[in-house]
Amino acid sequence: MKSKLNITIAQMDTAVGDVEGNAVKILKIWEEYHRVSHLIVFPELALSGYPPGDLLLRMDFIKECQRWLELIRDASAKFEAIALIGTPFYEGDLYNSALLVGGGKLLACYHKHFLPNYSVFDEKRYFRKGTYGTMVELGEVKIGISVCEDLWHPDGLERTYAIMGAHVLININASPYYFGKYEFKEAFLKARAEDNLCYVVYVNAVGGQDELVFDGRSLVIDPDGHICARAKAFEEDVLTVSLDVEKVKRRRLLDTRLREGKEKYHVISCGAGTYRELEALPPRVERNPKDEEEIYTALKTGLEAYVKKNNFSKVVLGLSGGIDSSLVACLAVDALGSDRVVGVFMPSEFTSQESKEDAITLAKNLGIELYQFPIDVIFRSFRDTLGSTDFGVADENLQARIRANILFYLSNRYGWLVLSTSNKSEASVGYTTIYGDMAGGFAPLKDIYKTLVYILARYRNSIKPDIPERVFQKPPSAELRPGQKDQDTLPPYQMLDQILMLYIEEGLSKEEIVSKGMDTETVEKVIRMIRLAEYKRSQAPVGTKITPRAFGKDWRMPITNMWGY
């Protein structure tokens, strides 16, 4: 039957700029799976890595992509299957393209139509939009090709493809993760399949790149809106699925909606490759992680990718005996292994005995190396040198900056990456010391509110109870002066985080937040702190994006901002 199609989803972790490495990985997967598949599909911009940013403004980089594309094309002559590869493609101008390659030839080319220009995306800066669709035929199976946003956009090509007779819609993606996004994607992909009475093949990237994480979870949806295949979450995976296109034909005989449609765009149809009869393979549907597991795995993936792709041998972080540093230490060990994580305990005269015991216990439980450097003498030397007689905020922050100096000395001496332990609640309101505890090369908790820190730490302890129970019970404190507690300066974190989420994630005004039952004076104070801390956040290290609106490319506020005061 020429209406049976085996498609292999190659859910790849690519490295931005490593064109050779990405090309070798593409060819290796192709060689391994070409005999069991008609078509192997790779993610968006798999050849260049995603997102390549201003590398796309360099002609030498574009030529390197072109050179490797030609080598892949030539190598394809020995493979029985054809492949769909995401790549930058220069054709008088630069396009974000999906190229169909096989038999030593470039068989078809599709240029992305809808170029997102919001949040972490800047595609109009780099690419020209495509103007035509591309539909290919393998045996009796017609396939419509699109790239990422083209399927997400309400005016995409999927309806045109379906009207033109496409049985399968293939959409290649490099879709960055945030919590809650997968459920939305699954729902709309099911709707696309049901509305167009066809299979939808959604191929996503996986891994981490700077602040972004890609969760994989590539999907195949049948014409009834059912998941018939799902790749692993947050892991590289290669999944071959057999599609019975007769199911599409039967559905369209019973549901005649597509007969009423009219063609909107010119669609190029081209034959590609020689159809072969292949054995149908059983479907595989991987499990979907639960909420805390999903977020924790995303953080672990982002940290591991940043360390690996920037060639750091080890990471180092300050252990205070508090919840934030405890969670970061667990993440680092789970991502890298205990032999690549170094903790540093740096007590002052204000550090409690309990904090010391908890930091030492945590390090022992995790099996990591722990250095201890008391900062009392250094602190007194600074104060004596500066002639400090009273004790104020500057003296509190001085301790945090001394600790940062020690961490960066170790980083400089041994080539280790410093992990910041600051969280999103602190960064939002500036309750963090610039060039102190917020300093680092990477901030795993940058997009994690304090209340979520506790939830994730509890989740991690449910797997292995490495964090001492007392860390969960004692009031949060930076221990920079006698008896200091976070709530001396901030509202309770439950209240603070609610206000922050309403203001940052949902964009509500002061009046709208107050109308939800929040105290007016508290809301005004928090918003004022958010605005005053903008200059700090602009100098913060990169960290994994978890929410729809993370500080960084999602949040582009002016530092000098007179609005709303």
Side-chain angles (χ1 to χ4, degrees):
M1 291 283 295
K2 291 188 176 183
S3 57
K4 300 282 187 180
L5 185 71
N6 282 12
I7 290 184
T8 295
I9 294 168
Q11 184 172 282
M12 276 177 60
D13 179 2
T14 62
V16 167
D18 184 11
V19 182
E20 179 178 356
N22 296 334
V24 169
K25 185 177 285 191
I26 287 169
L27 289 170
K28 184 177 180 181
I29 293 171
W30 200 344
E31 183 171 24
E32 185 174 353
Y33 288 89
H34 75 103
R35 290 189 177 89
V36 299
S37 183
H38 296 105
L39 174 61
I40 301 172
V41 185
F42 295 90
E44 178 182 10
L45 294 180
L47 187 56
S48 62
Y50 187 90
D54 278 9
L55 287 175
L56 295 170
L57 302 180
R58 296 191 58 89
M59 186 52 72
D60 53 352
F61 179 72
I62 300 304
K63 288 180 178 178
E64 182 72 355
C65 291
Q66 183 66 33
R67 184 173 76 86
W68 275 101
L69 180 62
E70 290 170 358
L71 291 171
I72 290 171
R73 178 201 63 197
D74 294 342
S76 73
K78 64 183 180 181
F79 300 135
E80 295 180 48
I82 61 176
L84 187 66
I85 302 169
T87 180
F89 188 70
Y90 190 82
E91 194 176 44
D93 205 340
L94 191 62
Y95 295 90
N96 181 346
S97 302
L99 303 185
L100 195 68
V101 182
K105 299 177 182 179
L106 175 60
L107 301 167
C109 181
Y110 173 83
H111 301 320
K112 186 174 182 179
H113 283 206
F114 296 100
L115 305 177
N117 221 52
Y118 59 89
S119 185
V120 299
F121 308 103
D122 277 317
E123 293 203 27
K124 289 183 180 178
R125 176 179 173 87
Y126 306 115
F127 299 116
R128 184 172 185 166
K129 66 176 292 185
T131 56
Y132 58 84
T134 300
M135 194 160 77
V136 299
E137 192 169 3
L138 286 173
E140 296 175 2
V141 184
K142 294 179 180 178
I143 302 167
I145 298 169
S146 63
V147 178
C148 198
E149 197 82 4
D150 296 339
L151 191 67
W152 295 52
H153 203 280
D155 295 324
L157 278 172
E158 69 276 358
R159 176 61 81 181
T160 302
Y161 284 144
I163 292 168
M164 295 290 292
H167 306 107
V168 181
L169 302 178
I170 297 180
N171 183 249
I172 64 170
N173 293 257
S175 181
Y177 166 83
Y178 61 76
F179 179 66
K181 187 177 183 181
Y182 173 78
E183 287 71 22
F184 165 76
K185 286 195 292 189
E186 183 181 296
F188 98 78
L189 288 170
K190 288 179 177 179
R192 291 289 192 270
E194 289 181 277
D195 288 346
N196 294 290
L197 306 173
C198 64
Y199 286 97
V200 170
V201 179
Y202 165 86
V203 181
N204 195 20
V206 74
Q209 176 63 39
D210 297 340
E211 75 270 35
L212 301 181
V213 166
F214 305 93
D215 62 322
R217 290 191 272 193
S218 301
L219 288 166
V220 179
I221 313 288
D222 73 11
D224 296 320
H226 299 142
I227 295 174
C228 52
R230 177 169 56 213
K232 294 176 182 178
F234 300 102
E235 293 183 44
E236 284 194 302
D237 195 11
V238 181
L239 173 63
T240 301
V241 59
S242 300
L243 306 183
D244 179 9
V245 175
E246 291 298 315
K247 186 172 186 176
V248 176
K249 296 176 181 179
R250 290 193 299 268
R251 290 287 285 110
R252 288 178 177 174
L253 280 176
L254 297 172
D255 188 334
T256 61
R257 286 174 293 164
L258 295 179
R259 295 177 185 170
E260 304 299 322
K262 293 184 179 179
E263 198 179 322
K264 285 185 179 180
Y265 306 105
H266 175 60
V267 178
I268 295 176
S269 180
C270 62
T274 303
Y275 184 86
R276 298 163 291 134
E277 293 292 343
L278 295 175
E279 180 183 353
L281 300 174
R284 172 160 61 92
V285 180
E286 296 289 342
R287 63 179 286 271
N288 211 22
K290 301 294 184 181
D291 293 357
E292 290 85 0
E293 179 189 1
E294 176 181 302
I295 297 172
Y296 190 87
T297 306
L299 293 173
K300 188 174 67 173
T301 301
L303 173 56
E304 180 183 14
Y306 193 85
V307 171
K308 177 183 177 182
K309 292 178 180 180
N310 287 287
N311 297 312
F312 286 101
S313 60
K314 291 186 178 183
V315 297
V316 61
L317 71 150
L319 291 183
S320 67
I323 193 71
D324 298 310
S325 62
S326 296
L327 180 58
V328 171
C330 289
L331 280 164
V333 168
D334 293 346
L336 308 170
S338 58
D339 60 326
R340 299 181 65 191
V341 181
V342 177
V344 185
F345 179 62
M346 297 167 282
S348 75
E349 60 184 286
F350 309 117
T351 303
S352 66
Q353 180 64 25
E354 290 82 1
S355 292
K356 179 177 181 180
E357 292 170 0
D358 292 339
I360 292 172
T361 300
L362 175 73
K364 182 178 178 181
N365 290 346
L366 292 174
I368 64 174
E369 190 174 7
L370 179 67
Y371 294 170
Q372 296 189 53
F373 298 120
I375 66 169
D376 308 65
V377 174
I378 303 172
F379 182 51
R380 287 195 296 271
S381 174
F382 263 97
R383 296 192 76 216
D384 290 344
T385 300
L386 297 169
S388 177
T389 54
D390 56 346
F391 192 95
V393 173
D395 300 274
E396 294 177 23
N397 291 338
L398 177 57
Q399 297 166 71
R401 293 184 177 121
I402 290 170
R403 290 174 174 133
N405 270 283
I406 292 172
L407 291 172
F408 274 95
Y409 173 82
L410 295 172
S411 171
N412 207 190
R413 182 172 180 178
Y414 299 113
W416 300 340
L417 174 68
V418 176
L419 299 182
S420 167
T421 59
S422 190
N423 60 61
K424 191 171 186 177
S425 300
E426 296 167 349
S428 296
V429 294
Y431 191 69
T432 179
T433 303
I434 189 169
Y435 317 126
D437 57 312
M438 70 176 283
F442 192 79
L445 305 183
K446 181 175 182 175
D447 202 25
I448 300 294
Y449 290 108
K450 185 77 168 189
T451 48
L452 184 53
V453 169
Y454 280 96
I455 292 170
L456 293 176
R458 280 291 184 199
Y459 163 75
R460 173 54 171 76
N461 258 24
S462 72
I463 300 170
K464 184 173 178 286
D466 288 325
I467 303 173
E469 180 60 28
R470 184 166 54 190
V471 175
F472 293 92
Q473 305 302 331
K474 59 189 177 186
S477 171
E479 294 190 326
L480 298 177
R481 65 171 184 269
Q484 182 188 47
K485 302 290 184 290
D486 289 4
Q487 288 187 22
D488 298 340
T489 304
L490 303 176
Y493 279 113
Q494 289 284 357
M495 180 188 299
L496 174 63
D497 287 355
Q498 286 184 55
I499 296 171
L500 294 175
M501 283 185 267
L502 291 170
Y503 187 79
I504 296 168
E505 316 296 335
E506 298 187 28
L508 298 190
S509 67
K510 176 188 72 175
E511 292 76 16
E512 289 170 322
I513 297 173
V514 170
S515 72
K516 292 184 176 292
M518 301 290 182
D519 174 67
T520 301
E521 186 177 343
T522 302
V523 173
E524 289 176 343
K525 175 184 176 181
V526 170
I527 292 176
R528 183 169 60 252
M529 293 176 79
I530 292 171
R531 291 174 178 170
L532 290 174
E534 197 63 53
Y535 81 100
K536 289 187 180 182
R537 289 190 294 271
S538 69
Q539 300 177 66
V542 66
T544 302
K545 172 182 166 67
I546 293 295
T547 67
R549 201 168 192 204
F551 291 131
K553 291 182 180 179
D554 292 335
W555 179 270
R556 306 185 190 188
M557 292 293 180
I559 295 174
T560 305
N561 175 14
M562 303 304 294
W563 177 84
Y565 284 98

